Each structure stands twice: as C-alpha cells, then as structure tokens.
Amino acid sequence: MKLSEDFIRTTEALMGRERFERYLASFEEEAPVSIRLNPQKAAGMTVVDGERVAWCGQGYYLPRRPQFTFDPLLHAGCYYVQEAASMFLDTVLRQHLPQQPVAMLDLCAAPGGKSSLALSLLPPGSCLYSNEPIRSRANILLENIAKWGDKACFVTSNYPRDYRKSRLQFDVVLCDVPCSGEGMFRKDPATIGEWSLQNVEKCWRLQRDIVSDAWHCLRDGGLFIYSTCTFNIKENEENIHWMTTELGAQVLPVDTKAEWQITGSLLEGFAVPVYRFIPGITRGEGLFMCALRKGSTEGGARNRQTGTLAATNRQFATSKLALSNKHASPLTFLLTPNFSLQTPNSSPVPLTYQQAMAYLRHEALMLTEGTPRGIVEVAFEGHVLGLVKNIGPRANNLYPKEWKIKTTHIPNDYEAILRPA
C-alpha cells in the first residue's frame, strides 16, 4: 500500500494528526465483513457467530469472510453482503421517513445495497425506483433487486437528466454519488492508484450536476440523502454548503451514539450535522452521509399527506405505460414489480445442497418421482432459488444464464452462514 503524497498531505491536514494516524493504522487490520438480513425472507433466522452492527438492526459483522458464492441462501435473497458503514442509511431512514406511503428514488443505486435496505424500511404502499446509468452495473443491480424479492421496485438505467426530463416527483431521493473513492482504499487497493487531486476536482463538479438534476425530482418538503465513500470536504461538506445556499436545502440532524465514533463536519465554520465514517475510528469503511429537506418541514408534511399515495399510483400507471409505449417516457426500465423473486404461494421442490449448487450453475436436475410436470419452483432449506421446467426424466433449468455460478469447484459440505434463531 502506497498512498500518494498529495493524498497524505491533504487528508492529514483535514483529519488532524491523531485521526489520520488511526486511519493509517487501519490498513494493518483486516477489514470487517458484514451482511444484512432480508426481514421478508430471513424472519426467524440469525447469523452464525454474528455480531450486531450498532446502527442497523438487520446488520451483522462476521468473524471472517466465508465463501459467499457457495451459499444458496445468498442467491435466494435471504441476506445481502454489505459494508457496515453504508448501513447507516438504516438509522437515517428510520428517523426521517414519514409513516405514510412514499415514492423514493435511488439515483445511483448499483450494486443495490442501499436500495434493498430501503425496500425493507419503506411503509406499505410505497414504491422505489432503483436506478443505475451504466448498463453493465445496472444488470448487477437488477439481479440483486430481483433476488431481494420486493414487488414495489422498478429498476431503471438512466442518467440523472433523464429523470429530470421525466418530471416524475418523489418524496425521498437518495444520491450515493460517484466519488474519488478515498473511503475504499483499504477494501479495494486498486482505487489508490486511481486517486488524484484532478479527479477530486472532476468529482465534485459532477456531483453538483447530479444533485441539481435530482433536486428537481424531489417534492417540496421531501427528504434528500446525500452520500459518498470519500473523505475530502470538496466532495462532502462543500457540496452540502452549496446545497444549503444555492438550493435552499435544510440539513437535518440524525440521532447517533457517542460509542459509534462517527466524525462530524470537518469544514471550518460549517458546524452542521453530517456523518463521516473513518476506518480505524468507526467499524467499517469510509462513508459520508447527510440528510436534507427541500423547503419547509411543515409544507412538506402537508404535501405528503395529500399527494403521495395518489402520486405513487400515477407513477405506477406512467411506468406501465412506458413499458408498452417507448414514446411515453424517457426512462428505460429493466425490471418492474411483476418480475422479482418472491416467496411462493405453493410448495417448492426441496433441493439438497449439491442439487442447489448444480441449479445455480444452470445445470439440469433430476427431481424426485411424483414431482408435478411443467414449471415448478425449487428451493433450498425452504427458500426459493428459481424455476425449472420438469419434463419427467429431467428438469430443465430456467435460472437466468447471466446469473449462473461459473466455478466448478463446489465444496462437498454446506457452510451455513444463517441458522434458525
């Protein structure tokens, strides 16, 4: 690990010597491994040797990194492998989401951690638009959202300006904007070589363009959540300051606990509630997050009470129209509420561990005699993995080919990550 002199100079000046030394020491430690349970699918289950993430009720640290690829319950959507600091969104949403149905937009959503977290918290009757502009990343997002299994989510692949042109309005907008990635250095060493002062300058300008488009999609009184995985104030506090002065945003406090050791604003003279996670100080990777309100809280509450549910219904209608008429909307939809992996109404066919892994490799299966012919669901430990077409002698695999596990070296024994509570 070799950090650039520019990064060392600017980051030490920002954090102060004591914080910066603790951050450097974190590179000598193993990065924590954490997962978040799906309350819809993992009810009644807990994590083997797991330790709770303090700011997320469904989050757990693991004692080591297992081979997640070989756990069928991951592919069934029972849990999501997510960095612990990014689960702070759980605390923010629990404190600032209204109780009535909302329409939410996650504008830069891939690979899907924050979107799946939001789906677990949105009030019944809500809908989420989960968006990723880059198509290759959007396909990964689609897979993760489909496996999470919530029908109230659209997956789209559009640029922020497309959403602005669509004129859709949301009660909540999340912008986890592209950034210089300083908070990922320990987790992904390749990002170290990509960092430069020039890239920081490029990022904060791009971030303001994204926020400007996203702001137009937020209703008056709506909740805006801004986040990055970087440390510097240009991409963080200075952008928040710009939002308050140029867009009229109101920064919202989030109740936290001192033992979480979250770092506040590092911009001199800008003492607003922002939340920075620094490896070596907080237990996770780098994150910056801030919650903001568009306009007055009072006006926003009235707007949500009178308009949200009707607006949500209109958005569903608009989106369905867009799917049948390419000229109806500028948005590109990849996944709709009718296409997600749900817990079945009928009894799925149980698979052994080796059968489940064969299914995830997109191999044909031999099911037990008496299995109904036609399209049937298959499951591991009661959790649906997908569909097969049973034709008698064998069952043809209907698992999406682009999702299949490519490795042929499958363990003989199943190493459980979840167990009954």
Side-chain angles (χ1 to χ4, degrees), residues 126-129 151-156 163 168 311-339:
S126 299
C127 70
L128 172 68
Y129 281 52
K151 289 184 177 180
C153 185
F154 297 92
V155 174
T156 64
Y163 264 95
L168 292 176
T312 300
N313 290 336
R314 285 199 301 273
Q315 287 176 278
F316 272 95
T318 300
S319 301
K320 289 179 180 178
L321 179 62
L323 291 168
S324 60
N325 181 352
K326 66 181 180 180
H327 301 296
S329 169
L331 300 182
T332 299
F333 291 82
L334 303 181
L335 180 147
T336 74
N338 295 323
F339 180 71

Side-chain angles (χ1 to χ4, degrees), residues 165-284:
K165 291 176 183 177
S166 76
R167 299 185 180 180
L168 292 176
Q169 292 282 287
F170 298 89
D171 302 285
V172 183
V173 174
L174 168 62
C175 275
D176 185 24
V177 291
C179 68
S180 60
E182 297 164 353
M184 303 297 290
F185 285 179
R186 181 173 67 161
K187 181 180 178 182
D188 183 6
T191 59
I192 295 175
E194 299 169 359
W195 186 91
S196 68
L197 292 175
Q198 292 78 7
N199 193 37
V200 170
E201 290 293 313
K202 178 182 177 181
C203 285
W204 74 256
R205 296 176 191 277
L206 173 62
Q207 290 154 0
R208 292 190 187 185
D209 289 341
I210 293 172
V211 168
S212 294
D213 287 329
W215 197 251
H216 281 82
C217 299
L218 185 65
R219 292 193 181 98
D220 183 49
L223 173 65
F224 192 96
I225 302 169
Y226 178 90
S227 69
T228 72
C229 57
T230 205
F231 302 130
N232 68 78
I233 58 175
K234 286 182 175 291
E235 299 177 68
N236 293 325
E237 284 91 343
E238 290 185 7
N239 277 346
I240 300 302
H241 182 264
W242 170 78
M243 292 179 68
T244 61
T245 56
E246 297 298 320
L247 303 180
Q250 172 193 356
V251 180
L252 302 176
V254 178
D255 292 335
T256 62
K257 295 183 178 180
E259 58 263 32
W260 298 354
Q261 298 191 71
I262 300 173
T263 302
S265 176
L266 296 178
L267 177 60
E268 186 175 354
F270 190 62
V272 300
V274 299
Y275 305 90
R276 180 183 273 100
F277 289 65
I278 302 174
I281 298 176
T282 47
R283 194 176 176 187

Side-chain angles (χ1 to χ4, degrees), residues 338-410:
N338 295 323
F339 180 71
S340 55
L341 189 56
Q342 297 294 316
T343 301
N345 295 322
S346 59
S347 297
V349 177
L351 301 180
T352 66
Y353 176 66
Q354 291 298 327
Q355 284 179 312
M357 296 310 300
Y359 176 75
L360 294 170
R361 292 199 303 267
H362 205 269
E363 298 174 4
L365 299 180
M366 298 291 293
L367 302 181
T368 57
E369 186 176 351
T371 300
R373 299 290 183 98
I375 306 299
V376 295
E377 291 172 312
V378 293
F380 177 73
E381 296 190 348
H383 298 280
V384 174
L385 297 174
L387 302 173
V388 297
K389 184 176 182 179
N390 186 30
I391 59 175
R394 72 174 188 278
N396 293 333
N397 198 317
L398 300 181
Y399 192 67
K401 289 183 179 179
E402 60 271 22
W403 297 358
K404 72 176 183 179
I405 296 173
K406 295 181 173 59
T407 180
T408 58
H409 301 288
I410 305 299

